[in-house]
Amino acid sequence: MRPDDAPAAQPPTARRLDLSIDGRSVEACVWEPAGAPSGPTIVLLHEGLGSVAMWRDFPARLAARTGKRVFAYSRFGYGLSDPEPLPWPPSYLHDHARRMLGRVLDAAGIGQRVLVGHSDGGSIAAIYGGEAGDRLLAGLVLIAAHFIVEDVTIAGIRAAGIAYRSGLRARLSRFHRDVDNAFHGWNDTWLRPGFATMDLAEQIAGISVPVLAIQGEADEYGTAAQLDHLRRHLKTSPRIVLVPDVGHTPQAQAADRVLDEIDQFMHYISATRR
């Protein structure tokens, strides 16, 4: 058989993991690429209304593209994970980075890792990267992450509240066991007056691993000021990608570009860690 006639490799499929933290269930899945993957596991941290299922086919495509194991989980209050009692404190992003993320990774048996965080997940990744002192952390990919709270961010979250009351709730209910817990935990907390002062400058300054930051030029929840804040406070030089004609979800709206950027980033990490 000629190489061109060889059957195509099967795309990675999700394998569910049964995780428990303090007796509470955490929804989690892992995607294994063909062959024997080596190097860091890619850990996906979802957005403020996200879950394992809301990554759709991105984890499988990412595993196939990079040849790396991909792990994703739903934070408490999201997806099929156990609920998180309301109201959530304004420190909920910091709390998860400081108290839960490392425990989830340990429970899943994740060794060397690269965190890929989208939106709220990007903020959690930045906080963890700057504070945890994790020797197993090899890099950070921050997609449409929030480092500060802008007026456009609050406007977008208020608009989401209107959408939730006029159809968004039904669409999100397919992805969350308790959709009201997920939505109000996120939306209500961001709209609390004290949340507007969030500033991750201190955490950014503590990051010592390579950073790839991706944002859409038409992001409805943030402007290039987010990237400027990252550049200003990060002590190393990040790879910055501003994608034209793309909004808050580059991994969906410009998936091929994002997959290529992460793949190149993973190669860079491998080369620098030899």
Side-chain angles (χ1 to χ4, degrees), residues 1-22:
M1 179 183 290
R2 292 182 296 105
D4 289 346
D5 296 329
Q10 290 296 314
T13 56
R15 175 171 57 87
R16 182 166 179 170
L17 302 179
D18 293 321
L19 302 184
S20 178
I21 304 292
D22 295 332

Side-chain angles (χ1 to χ4, degrees), residues 48-50 77-79 86 88 176 178-187:
L49 290 177
Y78 294 101
L86 299 174
W88 297 357
H176 302 286
D178 187 340
V179 66
D180 291 329
N181 187 219
F183 184 83
H184 289 293
W186 168 75
N187 194 265

Side-chain angles (χ1 to χ4, degrees), residues 9-13 31-35 37-38 40 42 44 57-70 116 212 214 239 251 254-268 270:
Q10 290 296 314
T13 56
W31 289 258
E32 297 275 2
S38 62
I42 297 174
L44 299 179
D57 67 345
F58 184 74
R61 295 184 65 188
L62 184 59
R65 182 73 176 85
T66 62
K68 304 297 183 186
R69 181 182 295 108
V70 174
V116 177
L212 165 63
I214 302 173
R239 161 75 173 157
Q251 74 277 11
D256 289 338
R257 174 71 185 276
V258 172
L259 290 167
D260 285 346
E261 290 288 348
I262 296 177
D263 185 45
Q264 292 172 31
F265 185 67
M266 297 301 293
H267 283 292
Y268 170 77
S270 296

